[in-house]
């Protein structure tokens, strides 16, 4: 094989390697970015000023406190966890109250606890987030009875 052909073959292989690296980086970047639903929409405040960081709306009282957490979708569908005085932890960790075997759930994903006569859900800095209905929660939020709570591929609800 001639020297020119060998050099062109090497350059072609090098270009192919770089295309693969750039493709991999673009896929990683897209996967690590927050989904469109998780980003707050810009809202113009009166006077033309942009408001400070928006937060998800607090839910209204549900008219009663549930007594159990029921998994409605996912691999643990039908599982019932009684809610009591101790917090319920959800995640992949073996010491979690509800162990979720899911690649989209973090080791310590979220916690549900009682506060002020209501159930409160708190995301524990999970990678993919904890979703209350269609809103990603970023701070402790009241968990009303019957509202879907999504952790990875599992969906659960507080029921009476």
């Amino acid at each position: 094989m001639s020297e020119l052909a060998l050099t062109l073959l090497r350059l072609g292989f090098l270009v192919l390697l770089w295309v693969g690296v750039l493709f991999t980086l673009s896929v990683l970047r897209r996967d690590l970015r927050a989904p469109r639903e998780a980003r707050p929409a810009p809202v113009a405040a009166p006077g033309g000023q942009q408001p400070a960081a928006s937060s998800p709306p607090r839910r209204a009282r549900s008219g009663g406190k549930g007594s159990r957490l029921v998994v409605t979708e996912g691999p643990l569908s039908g599982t019932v966890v009684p809610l009591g005085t101790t917090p319920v932890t959800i995640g992949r960790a073996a010491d979690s109250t509800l162990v979720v075997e899911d690649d989209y759930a973090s080791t310590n994903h979220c916690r549900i606890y009682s506060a002020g006569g209501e159930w409160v859900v708190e995301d524990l800095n999970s990678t993919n987030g904890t979703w209350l209905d269609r809103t990603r929660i970023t701070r402790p939020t009241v968990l009303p009875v019957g509202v879907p709570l999504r952790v990875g591929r599992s969906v659960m609800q507080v029921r009476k």
Side-chain angles (χ1 to χ4, degrees):
M1 191 179 273
S2 72
E3 186 77 27
L4 179 62
L6 190 58
T7 302
L8 289 176
L9 189 61
R10 286 179 182 167
L11 285 176
F13 182 68
L14 186 62
V15 167
L16 190 62
L17 274 173
W18 274 107
V19 167
V21 167
L22 293 176
F23 177 75
T24 303
L25 288 176
S26 70
V27 168
L28 287 172
R29 180 174 176 229
R30 183 183 62 222
D31 286 348
L32 291 176
R33 242 185 326 174
R36 189 172 301 227
E37 308 89 48
R39 289 186 228 134
V43 179
Q49 295 178 345
Q50 287 293 334
S54 64
S55 58
R58 300 285 293 197
R59 303 286 179 172
R61 270 189 188 251
S62 59
K65 186 174 174 182
S67 62
R68 59 196 169 114
L69 182 69
V70 180
V71 181
T72 57
E73 292 179 30
L76 297 174
S77 183
T79 304
V80 177
V81 178
L83 297 172
T85 56
T86 59
V88 173
T89 55
I90 302 171
R92 290 192 330 223
D95 63 343
S96 295
T97 309
L98 183 62
V99 179
V100 180
E101 295 293 331
D102 187 350
D103 292 337
Y104 295 100
S106 296
T107 305
N108 296 309
H109 199 94
C110 68
R111 171 178 41 226
I112 299 173
Y113 58 92
S114 178
E118 296 182 310
W119 294 112
V120 176
V121 61
E122 177 183 12
D123 185 70
L124 301 174
N125 297 323
S126 64
T127 304
N128 293 316
T130 303
W131 297 77
L132 188 57
D133 201 9
R134 292 188 185 130
T135 305
R136 184 174 184 167
I137 62 169
T138 56
R139 61 182 184 165
T141 305
V142 173
L143 179 58
V145 174
V147 174
L149 173 70
R150 180 175 295 276
V151 173
R153 293 183 180 148
S154 298
V155 178
M156 51 208 78
Q157 294 178 348
V158 172
R159 294 189 180 163
K160 291 185 181 186

